[in-house]
Structure formats: C-alpha cells, structure tokens
Amino acid sequence: MFTEAELDDAHRLVARYMMPTPAHDWPLLAQALGSQVIVKHENHAPTGAFKVRGGITFMDWLKRNHPRMQGIVTATRGNHGQSQARAATAMGLRAKIFVPHGNSTEKNAAMRAFGAELVEHGADFDEAREAAMRAAETEPLFPVPPFHTELVRGVATYGLELFRAHPDLDVVYVPVGCGSGLCGTLAARDALGLSTEIVGVVSDQAAGAKLSVEAGHLVETNAADTFADGMAVRVPVGEAFDIYSEKAHHIEAVSDAEIADAIRLYYTATHNLAEGAGAAALALALREKDRLEGRKVGVVLSGGNIDMGWFRTLLAGGVPGV
C-alpha cells in the first residue's frame, strides 16, 4: 500500500501536530493474558483516538490538491469527526459533520469544541454518511469518505511507531469499523517487511467485515446495535475489504459483554479509559489467549472517548444498553 519512505513522510507531517503515543508493557494485563502484552495507547492522542492522524494527512492533501474548497463534509460516530474538525479548523476550513440521532452527547460536544458544524441525521452511521455525501453536492465542501488513501496513510503512522519500537511482536489485534485502522496497521507491517500476524476485531452486532471475508464478497448487516460505536457500521467499505480480506490473519467478532469486561480490565490493570471499540482488541486477545501463550502480543487501544453514563454502568458491572 505504501513504501516505508511514504509512511516516514506522513509521520513527519503528523509529528508537527501531535506527539507520538506511548506503547506500554503492562504486567497485570500480561497476567490476565498469559503472555507479554504491549498496548498502543491511541487514547493518549490529542482527540483521544487514533483518527486524529488521518485528519492531519487528509487535510494537508486537500489543501494542496483542492485549494478552492471551503472545507469538508463527512459523517461520523465521533472520533473521525473530531479528527476532521480539528484539522480543518487549524487550516482555516469549515467542517460540516453529520452524526446519527442519539449519538454520544460527549463526542458531539467535543466535535463542536473542535469547530465542527454538527448536523444530526438518520438512525445510524450509514444513514448519516449518505446524507453527508448528498450535502457535498450542494455546498463547496469536499466529501470525506470513511476510507481514503490519505486517511489510511496518516493512521498507519501509529503502526509505524508501534513496529519500530517493538519489531518482534508476534501478533497485533486491531478494532475494525470502516477499516482504516486495520489497513493502516497492515500497511505499516508490510512497509517494514515484518511477518507479524494482524487480527481484526468487530462487534458481533456489526460483523459485516467478518461476514464479508467469510463470504468472499461484501455483506451488509441489518443493524449495528452496539455500544462500541466506533465499530457500529452496517455497510463494509469495499476498498478496505480488498486489503484486509487478503492481508489480515483473521477477523473475529466479540460481544458487548466481552468488550465491557475488557474496559473494566483496562481500568483496573492500567487506569486507562477505553471506549467500546478501544477495548475490542483486548477483548478478543483474552478470548484467544490459549493460542497466544509464549508470544509477544500487541493490542491497539484505539480510543478512550466513552460517555460518563456508560462508564458508570461499566464500573457497576453492567453493559451499556442492556
């Protein structure tokens, strides 16, 4: 997908706007998993999630290639929207962001704080995405899809950091929504010539990526009812599918209950907050721990933007929405 030099160029650009995020070895997680665990802490990024990286590279590309555009329009459940709003505002551009009704109130507030013009539309992410693409036809705003080469090139910089610090990782678990994180991690691995297994993780309530790989073609789901909103995608992205269906070791689904357990473990073992998608990688690693014995395991904590009400429920031992 990218050469090492292309990812180095992206990393130099990203480093102008944010510090590298840490990758920590947590002994209590190692005890729980029965193997060494390295956590890539994208929850420590400036927006609290990995998406901020793609916003930087995408907006730089947009300014160079479409200088007449007044801004961008896109759809999100929160982290992508924060990334786009932050980067657009920094470059003097508008950011019109569509979210579904009932979206996270705290993520909505964060997007507005980063400069977003927020529009609520539809029952889920995919309906909001369709509305955002229609809006681009009537305003001088560039439509930002959920998956784009420049988004992936920026996101891949977290994989570059992780693999440069830990080139001996045997396997890395990555959450999957629209697929930029998984494809970016695959791109970094391949650019560095490593043989690390990369495993994708979806919600069992939004398992389109897993079902698509098993079927050999895109498979939509009827719903995406999970509190792991970063993975709540009904319609898989074809460009991402073409990459991860060939290059990922496997893709597996986890339940909301397993994600809830992983969020609690992150808090007790590391005192880090993880949102639903952010904890999904650890959730699957815990289920697959028998195959990981004696191996060095990486898990991507992709974001920590969880609403307070949900976190209260989790700390009380419950599962949000149940």
Side-chain angles (χ1 to χ4, degrees):
M1 289 177 278
F2 305 103
T3 66
E4 186 174 356
E6 288 171 329
L7 293 188
D8 278 330
D9 286 343
H11 193 262
R12 280 189 288 269
L13 174 61
V14 168
R16 288 165 50 190
Y17 297 91
M18 63 174 283
M19 296 290 289
T21 59
H24 288 319
D25 182 347
W26 294 99
L28 287 175
L29 290 184
Q31 288 180 22
L33 203 61
S35 58
Q36 185 180 8
V37 186
I38 305 297
V39 179
K40 183 56 171 167
H41 281 283
E42 290 299 285
N43 60 313
H44 291 191
T47 62
F50 77 102
K51 295 279 191 178
V52 67
R53 298 171 181 269
I56 293 167
T57 50
F58 185 89
M59 219 58 63
D60 176 75
W61 171 86
L62 182 65
K63 289 283 282 187
R64 288 185 286 105
N65 290 275
H66 299 277
R68 294 187 179 181
M69 284 290 173
Q70 295 180 10
I72 61 93
V73 59
T74 193
T76 186
R77 290 301 302 263
N79 291 333
H80 169 70
Q82 290 181 63
S83 165
Q84 292 295 306
R86 180 180 186 266
T89 300
M91 296 186 184
L93 300 172
R94 290 174 58 198
K96 191 169 188 176
I97 311 293
F98 283 72
V99 300
H101 291 290
N103 198 54
S104 161
T105 56
E106 293 176 25
K107 286 182 178 178
N108 286 354
M111 284 184 276
R112 290 190 178 101
F114 279 118
E117 304 168 27
L118 206 70
V119 180
E120 293 185 80
H121 180 91
D124 58 23
F125 165 76
D126 293 287
E127 290 186 3
R129 175 183 52 80
E130 291 167 0
M133 296 305 102
R134 288 194 298 269
E137 299 172 0
T138 60
E139 298 186 61
L141 301 175
F142 191 90
V144 185
F147 190 90
H148 184 280
T149 299
E150 282 303 311
L151 293 175
V152 177
R153 192 167 72 98
V155 166
T157 61
Y158 83 64
L160 195 70
E161 292 172 4
L162 176 61
F163 290 127
R164 287 243 170 96
H166 297 278
D168 58 341
L169 284 165
D170 295 301
V171 56
V172 174
Y173 289 84
V174 185
V176 183
C178 290
S180 65
L182 177 57
C183 292
T185 307
L186 290 164
R189 178 201 65 183
D190 291 352
L192 294 174
L194 301 176
S195 58
T196 312
E197 293 177 4
I198 310 296
V199 178
V201 189
V202 297
S203 164
D204 63 5
Q205 300 302 302
K210 175 180 183 290
L211 297 173
S212 296
V213 170
E214 292 171 349
H217 57 82
L218 294 183
V219 177
E220 300 180 12
T221 59
N222 293 326
D225 298 326
T226 171
F227 84 92
D229 50 4
M231 302 192 297
V233 176
R234 282 191 296 106
V235 184
V237 175
E239 299 96 321
F241 168 78
D242 290 341
I243 296 168
Y244 60 65
S245 62
E246 176 187 348
K247 294 178 176 291
H249 184 269
H250 66 282
I251 296 178
E252 189 53 76
V254 291
S255 68
D256 276 12
E258 289 175 302
I259 292 170
D261 285 340
I263 291 173
R264 287 186 283 266
L265 179 58
Y266 264 132
Y267 190 70
T268 57
T270 77
H271 287 94
N272 274 265
L273 291 180
E275 59 187 274
L282 178 60
L284 183 58
L286 288 165
R287 188 203 297 165
E288 296 190 345
K289 66 180 183 179
D290 289 347
R291 85 176 192 93
L292 301 176
E293 185 176 355
R295 307 176 82 190
K296 186 173 180 179
V297 180
V299 291
V300 179
L301 202 176
S302 60
N305 297 324
I306 188 164
D307 281 7
M308 185 182 296
W310 282 359
F311 194 55
R312 286 196 191 101
T313 299
L314 287 158
L315 289 182
V319 179
V322 175

